[in-house]
Amino acid sequence: MASDFTRPVSNGSSRIEKLLMRDRLIILLALAAIVAISWQYLAVMAANMQSMAQMSMPMDMPGMDMTGSSTFVSLFAMWAVMMVAMMLPSAAPTILLVLGVYRRRGDRFTRQNSLFFVAGYLLAWTAFSALAAGLQVSLHRAALLTPAMAARSAVLGGAILLIAGIYQWLPFKNSCLGHCHSPLAFLTLHWREGSAGALRMGLLHGAFCIGCCWALMALLFVAGVMNLLWVAAIATFVLLEKLAPVRLRLSRVAGAALMIWGSYVLLGAL
């Protein structure tokens, strides 16, 4: 059962607010640095791929050679970094709220527990990255992806679009989105004490985010996993979907658009 995590601190509120402001600044700068480094990694990888393609050289890049023993590890690293770049910004409000709750409770391990929460969240997406990397290896071996890591056939691309569009309308999607959209409600229901509790909360929040966004991540296979404009567009939509007041309307409008797009692509393939 979740504890009363919102109980106020009776004294030293001025000092606590100053500490909280400093903690928030530190966390925001750290998150911004991590996201910036992740995007830089992706930009360098995409530039290397494009350069090799223009020179008509064999691309010794993740996902290109399905016979190497390091293929899965390389793809896993790529997906893990990509998920950090795409998902960490949308998790920032929850991370800051967790930090604020710990600080206002006078917890001696405020920063440590906040880091455990972030670690749990990223651990959930790391597990997702392993599954995505395994799927990509299978798709490459079945010759269903191009060297640019995009769906080779219109049927596959259209099916991904259609599935993603339908998922946007499902109650399970809306339920997971609700947990991501309302950090306070999430913490009220799932608060746990201590570092282990923080790690568990982070894992759970990450699981809800995966439930909300896995189909959107599958859209990366439509235009190319390393198409950074496409990656940025999906990341922006994820951020808007989680933070916008009209999340349900936005989600369903996007779902309808994806279903129309997917149907058009499938019909064109017939």
Side-chain angles (χ1 to χ4, degrees):
M1 180 184 298
S3 64
D4 181 14
F5 71 93
T6 59
R7 68 174 182 265
V9 177
S10 58
N11 51 40
S13 59
S14 175
R15 178 175 175 274
I16 288 172
E17 289 303 319
K18 289 180 180 179
L19 287 172
L20 182 55
M21 289 180 63
R22 186 175 66 181
D23 287 346
R24 283 175 174 168
L25 179 60
I26 292 172
I27 290 293
L28 283 174
L29 289 175
L31 293 178
I34 293 170
V35 171
I37 292 171
S38 299
W39 278 105
Q40 179 64 26
Y41 172 88
L42 296 177
V44 170
M45 179 177 288
N48 288 340
M49 289 179 61
Q50 185 176 8
S51 176
M52 290 177 187
Q54 289 174 348
M55 292 186 293
S56 299
M57 294 173 58
M59 287 188 277
D60 185 21
M61 295 295 295
M64 296 302 110
D65 177 14
M66 291 297 106
T67 62
S69 59
S70 64
T71 295
F72 173 80
V73 175
S74 299
L75 281 173
F76 168 68
M78 180 192 72
W79 274 96
V81 172
M82 189 180 300
M83 293 304 100
V84 170
M86 296 178 72
M87 299 307 303
L88 204 52
S90 66
T94 305
I95 294 169
L96 292 178
L97 181 59
V98 168
L99 174 72
V101 170
Y102 279 123
R103 180 58 74 189
R104 288 193 173 93
R105 285 164 57 90
D107 195 306
R108 291 186 304 146
F109 303 105
T110 290
R111 294 175 185 172
Q112 174 183 306
N113 290 342
S114 299
L115 290 175
F116 270 101
F117 180 87
V118 175
Y121 182 80
L122 294 180
L123 185 59
W125 278 105
T126 300
F128 174 85
S129 298
L131 294 175
L135 173 63
Q136 187 168 342
V137 168
S138 298
L139 290 174
H140 271 295
R141 287 177 174 167
L144 293 175
L145 294 182
T146 68
M149 306 182 192
R152 188 179 295 276
S153 72
V155 173
L156 177 59
I160 293 173
L161 289 166
L162 192 59
I163 291 171
I166 293 172
Y167 189 73
Q168 291 292 106
W169 283 76
L170 296 183
F172 182 75
K173 154 78 181 193
N174 186 47
S175 175
C176 291
L177 180 58
H179 285 279
C180 297
H181 187 267
S182 180
L184 183 58
F186 169 80
L187 293 182
T188 301
L189 290 172
H190 303 290
W191 182 265
R192 295 294 185 275
E193 300 291 345
S195 297
L199 183 66
R200 181 185 182 280
M201 286 190 295
L203 278 167
L204 186 59
H205 186 59
F208 280 126
C209 286
I210 292 171
C212 170
C213 301
W214 70 267
L216 295 173
M217 296 302 110
L219 293 174
L220 292 169
F221 290 116
V222 174
V225 174
M226 288 307 299
N227 182 332
L228 293 191
L229 288 177
W230 189 237
V231 173
I234 295 173
T236 300
F237 177 79
V238 167
L239 183 64
L240 291 174
E241 191 178 44
K242 288 186 178 182
L243 302 183
V246 290
R247 71 179 192 278
L248 183 59
R249 186 181 306 171
L250 179 64
S251 180
R252 290 186 172 176
V253 167
L258 288 170
M259 284 189 281
I260 292 171
W261 186 7
S263 299
Y264 174 79
V265 172
L266 287 173
L267 289 174
L270 296 179

